[in-house]
Every structure is written in structure tokens, then in C-alpha cells.
Amino acid sequence: MILKDNINSNNIKLLIYDVDGTLVEFVTLFKLLKESFDIHGMRFKEEYFKQYVASVSKALDENRKDFSKSSLVQSFEKYFSILEKSNVNANEYLNTLLSLEYKYTQMHDGVDITLKELFSKYPQVVSTNWFADSQKTKINKFDLLKYFNRIYGCEMYYPKPNRKHFERISSDYNLSPDECLIIGDSFSDIKASAYGYNTLLVDYKKEKTNLYNLSTYVVDDFRDVSKVLARKK
């Protein structure tokens, strides 16, 4: 269902997609972490899940201009204390974790058919705050990689919602912000509205109403992305 529409935006020439929470979703992060712990001979507990989430959040907060694998490893070393206590190398653990992510993701309904349809009409790129290789593996699991012209990972660009992240993408295609549509599920994507970009919030559970005013469009089904764009051509 289209929950919010905007008839004033009809010049869209580039589609920019988030990955996690938008195209795919983790089935269970707990099982991912447990398998990674098992591989390194550690016993998984719920408290370590909280440590992991905190360490990733800290890495993003402390490296707003240059988030990378090395910065995440450093954050693991500072905040994911179980690794040091278990004598597990943080870099090796991160590589294990990234290699397993795709196993615990599922594609949202309608993503494949929608991307295929829109790829015949628009260039499509991925914009992610995670590592490009890991995201490529997730996307390729569902045979979606062929629908994207480029993957913008966190390694080379300011992370979202930094204005420079979005400007790098639009400038690569020689487009103005109002010629781009950013499709995502969180504030880090929808914040681009403040910089003049069109944004489309995918709110699968209809629980992110606090972002509706900031978003250009809101849908609760990915298949509605094509319906929104059909009225803009």
C-alpha cells in the first residue's frame, strides 16, 4: 500500500537502494553470531549480542568520515570484550562473521520482480553503510546483483546520513538531488530529504511513522515502489 504520495516529483532518473531492512532482512542475528562463536570455540550468550551491537554502533559513531573494516576491528577490540577474553583475533572474527551473513538473510516479498521491472527503466545502485563485498554476497544469494549498476559500500564514502555520501552518488551520474530517489527503511536513508533528494520509506511493519513527514513517499510493500514510479513517468 502507498501510505504517502507526492505528485510534485516527476523527474526521477536514478534509483538508490539501501540493502539491510529494505531489500533483505536478517532472519536471526542471534544464530549468525552463535555460528561465528562456535567456529572460534566460544560459548555464545545473550550479553554478547548486546556487546556486538554496541561495538558496531560505536564504530559508526566514532568514524563518521571513514568507516572501514579496520575501524570495526578496533571497535571490537575496545568494546567486544569476549574476543580478547577468549584470545580470538578481532580481524579473523570479523572475516568469519562477514562470510556467514548471507546464510541468515531472506529477501522481502516482491523485491526481485520489482528490481527487474525497474532496471529496464532506470539505472539502479546500492547505497550501504556496510561492506560492499558482504552486501554483494547477500544480494547475489537471491540473484539480484545483475539489477544493479554499482555498489556504494562504506569503505570509500562517508557513511549515511552524511550529505557527502549522497552527493558522491548523484555527482557520479551527473544528476541533481531532485533527479534521484533514495529507497530505504531508516533515518540514515530518509535524512537525504533534507538535502533535496526524493526519498521513499519502506515501512514493512507500519511502525516508523516518525519518519513519514520527512519522507517524500511511504510504502509498506516493496512492490509499491514501481507503482509510485509509474505515476511519475
Side-chain angles (χ1 to χ4, degrees):
M1 180 183 296
I2 299 173
L3 303 178
K4 180 183 178 183
D5 204 352
N6 187 325
I7 62 173
N8 296 320
S9 299
N10 55 12
N11 194 35
I12 294 168
K13 297 178 180 177
L14 175 67
L15 304 183
I16 304 170
Y17 297 87
D18 174 53
V19 177
D20 296 310
T22 303
L23 303 179
V24 302
E25 192 78 67
F26 276 110
V27 178
T28 169
L29 187 55
F30 272 86
K31 289 184 178 180
L32 166 60
L33 291 175
K34 184 179 184 305
E35 182 174 354
S36 66
F37 268 54
D38 289 344
I39 289 172
H40 288 277
M42 298 184 290
R43 183 179 179 182
F44 181 70
K45 297 180 181 179
E46 186 173 348
E47 64 187 273
Y48 303 144
F49 173 82
K50 296 177 181 178
Q51 279 189 19
Y52 168 77
V53 172
S55 62
V56 173
S57 297
K58 288 284 188 180
L60 285 167
D61 289 342
E62 295 173 1
N63 299 274
R64 294 183 181 273
K65 294 183 179 180
D66 185 26
F67 180 68
S68 64
K69 288 183 180 179
S70 61
S71 61
L72 185 52
V73 166
Q74 291 173 9
S75 187
F76 278 177
E77 291 172 344
K78 290 171 63 177
Y79 305 111
F80 205 8
S81 59
I82 182 59
L83 299 182
E84 183 178 2
K85 291 178 181 178
S86 303
N87 199 30
V88 172
N89 180 277
N91 185 64
E92 292 178 1
Y93 177 77
L94 176 59
N95 288 334
T96 298
L97 194 68
L98 295 177
S99 72
L100 296 172
E101 281 188 326
Y102 78 97
K103 294 175 60 177
Y104 295 94
T105 56
Q106 63 183 10
M107 179 180 65
H108 283 292
D109 291 342
V111 166
D112 49 353
I113 58 174
T114 302
L115 290 178
K116 180 180 180 180
E117 175 191 348
L118 295 177
F119 189 59
S120 66
K121 303 173 183 178
Y122 302 90
Q124 301 187 129
V125 302
V126 162
S127 157
T128 175
N129 277 351
W130 205 236
F131 307 105
D133 287 346
S134 179
Q135 300 296 52
K136 285 180 182 178
T137 302
K138 290 180 194 174
I139 293 169
N140 202 41
K141 174 183 178 180
F142 306 103
D143 197 28
L144 302 178
L145 196 57
K146 61 189 176 186
Y147 300 131
F148 294 103
N149 301 90
R150 189 166 178 179
I151 308 292
Y152 288 86
C154 65
E155 298 91 338
M156 296 177 62
Y157 310 96
Y158 285 73
K160 300 181 288 187
N162 192 295
R163 182 173 191 157
K164 292 183 178 180
H165 177 96
F166 304 112
E167 289 179 341
R168 172 61 188 269
I169 299 174
S170 56
S171 65
D172 279 351
Y173 284 83
N174 296 312
L175 296 174
S176 60
D178 68 339
E179 294 176 304
C180 304
L181 176 63
I182 296 169
I183 301 161
D185 72 309
S186 69
F187 175 77
S188 66
D189 305 296
I190 305 308
K191 172 65 175 178
S193 289
Y195 313 135
Y197 292 84
N198 297 292
T199 59
L200 189 153
L201 175 69
V202 185
D203 186 12
Y204 290 109
K205 298 180 180 179
K206 299 182 183 179
E207 61 184 11
K208 299 179 180 179
T209 54
N210 60 308
L211 296 176
Y212 286 17
N213 286 338
L214 186 59
S215 307
T216 313
Y217 313 99
V218 182
V219 302
D220 63 0
D221 188 314
F222 196 86
R223 286 165 287 210
D224 290 325
V225 175
S226 60
K227 294 178 183 178
V228 167
L229 289 166
R231 298 209 291 271
K232 311 306 168 189
K233 296 297 285 183

